[in-house]
Amino acid sequence: MLRNVGLRPTRQRVALAKLLYAHSDRHLTAEMLYMEATNQNLPVSLATIYNTLNQFARMGLLREVGVDGSLTYFDTNTSNHHHFFVEDKNEIRDIPTTDIVIGKMAELPDGYEIARVDLMIRIRRKR
Amino acid sequence: MLRNVGLRPTRQRVALAKLLYAHSDRHLTAEMLYMEATNQNLPVSLATIYNTLNQFARMGLLREVGVDGSLTYFDTNTSNHHHFFVEDKNEIRDIPTTDIVIGKMAELPDGYEIARVDLMIRIRRKR
DNA sequence: ATTTGTGCAAATCGTTTGCATCTGA
DNA sequence: TCAGATGCAAACGATTTGCACAAAT
Protein backbone atom coordinates (compact mmCIF):
# COMPACT_ATOMS: atom_id res chain seq x y z
CA MET A 1 0.00 0.00 0.00
CA LEU A 2 2.75 2.41 0.94
CA ARG A 3 4.94 1.33 -1.91
CA ASN A 4 2.08 1.82 -4.31
CA VAL A 5 1.95 5.49 -3.54
CA GLY A 6 5.71 5.84 -3.45
CA LEU A 7 6.31 6.04 0.27
CA ARG A 8 8.96 3.94 1.97
CA PRO A 9 7.40 1.45 4.33
CA THR A 10 9.30 2.53 7.40
CA ARG A 11 8.66 1.25 10.92
CA GLN A 12 6.61 4.30 11.88
CA ARG A 13 4.59 4.56 8.71
CA VAL A 14 3.68 0.91 8.74
CA ALA A 15 2.72 1.06 12.39
CA LEU A 16 0.62 4.18 11.91
CA ALA A 17 -1.06 2.74 8.86
CA LYS A 18 -2.00 -0.32 10.90
CA LEU A 19 -3.52 1.84 13.58
CA LEU A 20 -5.38 3.96 11.08
CA TYR A 21 -6.86 1.13 9.09
CA ALA A 22 -7.41 -1.34 11.90
CA HIS A 23 -11.02 -0.27 12.10
CA SER A 24 -12.79 1.37 9.24
CA ASP A 25 -14.02 4.89 8.87
CA ARG A 26 -12.04 6.63 11.53
CA HIS A 27 -11.74 10.36 12.10
CA LEU A 28 -8.56 11.27 13.87
CA THR A 29 -6.55 14.32 14.70
CA ALA A 30 -2.77 14.19 14.87
CA GLU A 31 -2.96 14.43 18.63
CA MET A 32 -5.41 11.54 18.85
CA LEU A 33 -3.25 9.29 16.74
CA TYR A 34 -0.22 10.29 18.75
CA MET A 35 -1.86 9.25 22.00
CA GLU A 36 -3.06 6.03 20.49
CA ALA A 37 0.42 5.15 19.31
CA THR A 38 1.98 6.14 22.59
CA ASN A 39 -0.52 4.07 24.56
CA GLN A 40 0.54 1.03 22.62
CA ASN A 41 4.21 1.65 23.35
CA LEU A 42 4.78 2.65 19.81
CA PRO A 43 7.44 5.30 19.94
CA VAL A 44 6.68 7.96 17.32
CA SER A 45 7.22 11.67 17.56
CA LEU A 46 4.38 14.08 17.08
CA ALA A 47 6.26 15.69 14.21
CA THR A 48 6.37 12.38 12.40
CA ILE A 49 2.67 11.93 12.97
CA TYR A 50 2.01 15.25 11.30
CA ASN A 51 4.36 14.47 8.46
CA THR A 52 2.84 11.07 7.96
CA LEU A 53 -0.75 12.23 8.04
CA ASN A 54 -0.02 14.97 5.56
CA GLN A 55 1.78 12.63 3.23
CA PHE A 56 -0.97 10.05 3.43
CA ALA A 57 -3.51 12.74 2.66
CA ARG A 58 -1.49 14.05 -0.27
CA MET A 59 -1.23 10.52 -1.62
CA GLY A 60 -4.94 9.98 -1.33
CA LEU A 61 -4.82 7.45 1.48
CA LEU A 62 -6.61 9.84 3.81
CA ARG A 63 -9.04 12.66 3.43
CA GLU A 64 -8.43 15.89 5.26
CA VAL A 65 -11.39 17.41 7.04
CA GLY A 66 -10.96 20.89 8.43
CA VAL A 67 -13.24 21.93 11.26
CA ASP A 68 -13.81 25.55 12.02
CA GLY A 69 -10.71 27.55 11.59
CA SER A 70 -8.51 25.41 13.75
CA LEU A 71 -8.76 21.64 14.00
CA THR A 72 -7.85 19.18 11.26
CA TYR A 73 -9.24 15.69 11.24
CA PHE A 74 -8.15 12.91 8.93
CA ASP A 75 -10.76 10.56 7.58
CA THR A 76 -9.81 7.04 6.60
CA ASN A 77 -12.80 6.96 4.30
CA THR A 78 -11.59 8.65 1.15
CA SER A 79 -14.72 8.07 -0.89
CA ASN A 80 -17.06 10.87 -1.75
CA HIS A 81 -19.21 11.58 1.28
CA HIS A 82 -20.16 14.25 3.79
CA HIS A 83 -19.98 14.85 7.52
CA PHE A 84 -21.83 15.71 10.62
CA PHE A 85 -19.92 17.72 13.14
CA VAL A 86 -21.27 17.18 16.63
CA GLU A 87 -20.65 20.52 18.27
CA ASP A 88 -20.84 19.54 21.91
CA LYS A 89 -18.53 16.58 21.47
CA ASN A 90 -16.11 17.90 18.88
CA GLU A 91 -16.73 14.77 16.93
CA ILE A 92 -16.90 14.03 13.21
CA ARG A 93 -19.32 11.47 11.88
CA ASP A 94 -19.87 10.26 8.34
CA ILE A 95 -23.12 10.86 6.56
CA PRO A 96 -23.99 7.94 4.32
CA THR A 97 -23.74 9.08 0.73
CA THR A 98 -27.28 7.98 0.05
CA ASP A 99 -28.60 10.30 2.73
CA ILE A 100 -27.67 13.51 0.97
CA VAL A 101 -28.15 14.67 -2.52
CA ILE A 102 -26.95 17.95 -3.82
CA GLY A 103 -29.51 18.63 -6.48
CA LYS A 104 -28.56 21.53 -8.59
CA MET A 105 -24.88 22.34 -8.80
CA ALA A 106 -23.57 25.85 -8.99
CA GLU A 107 -21.87 26.95 -12.15
CA LEU A 108 -18.22 27.65 -11.71
CA PRO A 109 -16.33 30.74 -12.74
CA ASP A 110 -14.76 30.37 -16.18
CA GLY A 111 -11.63 28.33 -16.36
CA TYR A 112 -12.13 26.73 -12.98
CA GLU A 113 -12.78 23.19 -11.97
CA ILE A 114 -13.93 21.61 -8.73
CA ALA A 115 -11.14 20.53 -6.46
CA ARG A 116 -13.36 19.22 -3.69
CA VAL A 117 -16.84 19.57 -2.29
CA ASP A 118 -17.05 19.84 1.46
CA LEU A 119 -20.45 19.63 3.03
CA MET A 120 -20.57 19.69 6.78
CA ILE A 121 -23.74 19.72 8.82
CA ARG A 122 -23.06 21.06 12.26
CA ILE A 123 -25.45 19.60 14.79
CA ARG A 124 -26.05 20.14 18.47
CA ARG A 125 -28.10 18.60 21.21
CA LYS A 126 -31.68 19.86 21.10
CA ARG A 127 -32.58 22.34 23.82
CA MET B 1 -27.88 48.09 15.15
CA LEU B 2 -25.37 47.49 17.91
CA ARG B 3 -27.81 48.44 20.63
CA ASN B 4 -30.33 46.02 19.18
CA VAL B 5 -28.03 43.10 19.84
CA GLY B 6 -26.93 44.42 23.22
CA LEU B 7 -23.49 45.75 22.36
CA ARG B 8 -22.39 49.18 23.45
CA PRO B 9 -21.80 51.40 20.44
CA THR B 10 -18.21 52.29 21.21
CA ARG B 11 -15.94 54.27 18.89
CA GLN B 12 -14.16 51.13 17.64
CA ARG B 13 -17.23 49.02 17.16
CA VAL B 14 -19.06 51.73 15.28
CA ALA B 15 -16.06 52.37 13.08
CA LEU B 16 -15.55 48.69 12.34
CA ALA B 17 -19.23 48.19 11.62
CA LYS B 18 -19.06 51.03 9.13
CA LEU B 19 -16.12 49.42 7.39
CA LEU B 20 -17.76 46.02 7.35
CA TYR B 21 -21.07 47.14 5.98
CA ALA B 22 -19.85 49.90 3.68
CA HIS B 23 -20.03 47.51 0.79
CA SER B 24 -22.20 44.44 0.81
CA ASP B 25 -21.21 40.80 0.93
CA ARG B 26 -17.69 41.06 2.15
CA HIS B 27 -15.45 38.24 3.30
CA LEU B 28 -12.77 39.40 5.67
CA THR B 29 -10.22 37.96 8.01
CA ALA B 30 -9.28 39.74 11.20
CA GLU B 31 -5.98 40.69 9.67
CA MET B 32 -7.62 42.14 6.57
CA LEU B 33 -9.97 44.27 8.62
CA TYR B 34 -7.10 45.38 10.79
CA MET B 35 -5.14 46.61 7.80
CA GLU B 36 -8.15 48.31 6.37
CA ALA B 37 -8.77 50.16 9.60
CA THR B 38 -5.15 51.08 10.00
CA ASN B 39 -4.94 52.39 6.44
CA GLN B 40 -7.76 54.76 7.20
CA ASN B 41 -6.03 56.06 10.31
CA LEU B 42 -8.50 54.31 12.47
CA PRO B 43 -6.57 53.26 15.53
CA VAL B 44 -7.80 49.85 16.68
CA SER B 45 -5.78 47.04 18.15
CA LEU B 46 -5.79 43.63 16.57
CA ALA B 47 -7.11 42.13 19.80
CA THR B 48 -10.12 44.39 19.61
CA ILE B 49 -10.70 43.36 16.02
CA TYR B 50 -10.79 39.74 17.06
CA ASN B 51 -13.07 40.47 20.00
CA THR B 52 -15.37 42.54 17.85
CA LEU B 53 -15.60 40.04 15.02
CA ASN B 54 -16.36 37.23 17.44
CA GLN B 55 -19.01 39.25 19.23
CA PHE B 56 -20.60 40.29 15.95
CA ALA B 57 -20.65 36.68 14.85
CA ARG B 58 -22.13 35.50 18.14
CA MET B 59 -24.83 38.13 17.84
CA GLY B 60 -25.65 37.11 14.32
CA LEU B 61 -24.34 40.22 12.58
CA LEU B 62 -21.69 38.19 10.82
CA ARG B 63 -21.28 34.65 9.68
CA GLU B 64 -18.12 32.78 10.48
CA VAL B 65 -16.58 30.80 7.63
CA GLY B 66 -13.73 28.49 8.54
CA VAL B 67 -11.34 27.53 5.78
CA ASP B 68 -9.22 24.43 6.08
CA GLY B 69 -7.87 24.06 9.51
CA SER B 70 -6.49 27.51 9.95
CA LEU B 71 -8.06 30.62 8.49
CA THR B 72 -11.30 32.20 9.63
CA TYR B 73 -13.22 34.54 7.39
CA PHE B 74 -16.21 36.60 8.42
CA ASP B 75 -19.03 37.02 5.96
CA THR B 76 -21.24 40.09 6.13
CA ASN B 77 -23.95 38.13 4.37
CA THR B 78 -25.65 36.22 7.15
CA SER B 79 -28.39 34.72 5.05
CA ASN B 80 -28.45 31.07 4.18
CA HIS B 81 -26.01 30.51 1.36
CA HIS B 82 -22.87 28.65 0.36
CA HIS B 83 -19.33 29.39 -0.76
CA PHE B 84 -16.71 28.84 -3.32
CA PHE B 85 -13.21 28.76 -2.04
CA VAL B 86 -10.73 29.72 -4.73
CA GLU B 87 -7.70 27.66 -3.84
CA ASP B 88 -5.03 29.55 -5.72
CA LYS B 89 -6.16 32.91 -4.43
CA ASN B 90 -7.26 32.05 -0.91
CA GLU B 91 -10.47 33.82 -1.63
CA ILE B 92 -14.04 33.22 -0.54
CA ARG B 93 -16.91 33.91 -2.90
CA ASP B 94 -20.64 33.57 -2.37
CA ILE B 95 -22.68 31.10 -4.32
CA PRO B 96 -26.12 32.50 -5.06
CA THR B 97 -28.67 30.49 -3.09
CA THR B 98 -30.57 29.70 -6.23
CA ASP B 99 -27.55 28.00 -7.73
CA ILE B 100 -27.42 25.14 -5.27
CA VAL B 101 -30.05 22.87 -3.97
CA ILE B 102 -29.46 20.21 -1.41
CA GLY B 103 -32.07 17.71 -2.38
CA LYS B 104 -32.39 15.02 0.17
CA MET B 105 -31.36 15.92 3.69
CA ALA B 106 -29.68 13.48 6.00
CA GLU B 107 -31.56 12.35 9.04
CA LEU B 108 -29.99 13.52 12.24
CA PRO B 109 -29.11 11.44 15.27
CA ASP B 110 -31.89 11.42 17.85
CA GLY B 111 -32.17 14.49 20.03
CA TYR B 112 -30.04 16.60 17.73
CA GLU B 113 -30.85 19.62 15.67
CA ILE B 114 -29.02 21.40 12.90
CA ALA B 115 -26.84 24.23 14.08
CA ARG B 116 -25.55 25.18 10.67
CA VAL B 117 -25.01 23.78 7.21
CA ASP B 118 -21.68 24.60 5.67
CA LEU B 119 -21.21 23.77 2.04
CA MET B 120 -17.97 24.81 0.47
CA ILE B 121 -16.94 24.07 -3.06
CA ARG B 122 -13.21 24.30 -3.42
CA ILE B 123 -12.25 25.29 -6.92
CA ARG B 124 -8.96 25.70 -8.73
CA ARG B 125 -7.79 26.96 -12.05
CA LYS B 126 -8.17 24.34 -14.75
CA ARG B 127 -4.95 22.70 -15.85
C1' DA C 1 -20.04 55.36 39.94
C1' DT C 2 -20.30 51.24 37.84
C1' DT C 3 -19.94 48.44 34.19
C1' DT C 4 -18.02 47.30 29.99
C1' DG C 5 -14.54 47.79 26.33
C1' DT C 6 -9.74 48.60 24.82
C1' DG C 7 -4.76 47.98 24.10
C1' DC C 8 -0.69 45.91 24.93
C1' DA C 9 2.19 42.15 25.55
C1' DA C 10 2.49 37.64 26.92
C1' DA C 11 0.41 33.15 26.57
C1' DT C 12 -1.82 29.34 23.98
C1' DC C 13 -2.79 26.01 20.47
C1' DG C 14 -2.19 23.41 16.51
C1' DT C 15 1.10 22.78 13.26
C1' DT C 16 5.63 23.17 10.67
C1' DT C 17 10.60 23.43 10.24
C1' DG C 18 15.86 23.10 10.76
C1' DC C 19 19.08 20.14 11.56
C1' DA C 20 21.73 16.32 13.40
C1' DT C 21 21.06 11.54 13.52
C1' DC C 22 19.31 7.16 11.96
C1' DT C 23 17.52 3.68 8.55
C1' DG C 24 15.75 1.26 4.53
C1' DA C 25 16.72 0.02 -0.31
C1' DT D 1 26.21 3.91 0.31
C1' DC D 2 23.14 7.55 0.66
C1' DA D 3 18.61 9.50 -0.34
C1' DG D 4 15.09 9.82 2.46
C1' DA D 5 12.89 9.52 7.28
C1' DT D 6 12.88 10.54 12.14
C1' DG D 7 13.10 13.13 16.55
C1' DC D 8 13.80 16.92 19.07
C1' DA D 9 13.35 21.54 20.11
C1' DA D 10 12.73 25.80 18.40
C1' DA D 11 9.91 28.63 15.22
C1' DC D 12 5.34 29.75 13.50
C1' DG D 13 0.87 31.96 12.57
C1' DA D 14 -3.59 32.69 13.98
C1' DT D 15 -6.06 33.56 17.87
C1' DT D 16 -6.98 34.37 22.96
C1' DT D 17 -6.09 36.14 27.46
C1' DG D 18 -4.66 38.90 31.78
C1' DC D 19 -4.51 43.06 33.38
C1' DA D 20 -4.13 48.18 33.83
C1' DC D 21 -6.33 51.96 31.78
C1' DA D 22 -10.16 54.38 29.34
C1' DA D 23 -14.77 55.21 27.91
C1' DA D 24 -20.06 54.37 28.06
C1' DT D 25 -24.17 54.45 30.59
Side-chain angles (χ1 to χ4, degrees), chain B:
Chain B
M1 181 175 175
L2 291 173
R3 283 207 181 83
N4 281 343
V5 299
L7 290 176
R8 281 189 189 174
T10 63
R11 260 184 237 318
Q12 292 77 339
R13 293 212 269 237
V14 171
L16 292 178
K18 274 185 183 151
L19 283 185
L20 284 167
Y21 302 106
H23 320 280
S24 48
D25 295 12
R26 313 197 66 195
H27 302 94
L28 299 170
T29 62
E31 201 67 41
M32 286 163 73
L33 184 55
Y34 179 59
M35 297 202 305
E36 210 171 285
T38 303
N39 286 341
Q40 312 206 359
N41 288 319
L42 222 155
V44 197
S45 77
L46 189 52
T48 296
I49 301 261
Y50 275 104
N51 290 335
T52 302
L53 287 173
N54 286 329
Q55 288 157 351
F56 281 22
R58 194 169 331 114
M59 297 317 186
L61 301 179
L62 287 174
R63 166 162 172 192
E64 221 176 323
V65 182
V67 173
D68 263 331
S70 56
L71 261 185
T72 302
Y73 281 79
F74 291 87
D75 187 343
T76 59
N77 176 354
T78 58
S79 75
N80 192 16
H81 69 285
H82 305 296
H83 297 101
F84 284 125
F85 177 67
V86 187
E87 291 195 338
D88 24 32
K89 298 202 243 171
N90 252 20
E91 181 194 317
I92 301 251
R93 200 177 298 186
D94 284 338
I95 299 179
T97 325
T98 57
D99 271 16
I100 286 249
V101 178
I102 299 184
K104 185 181 175 190
M105 190 41 104
E107 44 187 276
L108 309 190
D110 254 18
Y112 278 87
E113 63 184 359
I114 291 182
R116 203 165 86 204
V117 177
D118 288 339
L119 171 58
M120 173 163 283
I121 302 186
R122 302 174 64 101
I123 61 179
R124 63 163 108 81
R125 190 163 271 117
K126 235 180 245 168
R127 304 177 265 207

Side-chain angles (χ1 to χ4, degrees), chain A residues 4 12 19 24 31 34 37 42 51 59 64 69 72 74 77 80 99 103-104 112 117:
Chain A
N4 281 343
Q12 293 76 339
L19 283 183
S24 49
E31 201 66 42
Y34 180 59
L42 222 155
N51 289 336
M59 298 316 187
E64 222 175 323
T72 302
F74 291 87
N77 177 354
N80 191 15
D99 272 15
K104 186 182 174 189
Y112 278 86
V117 177

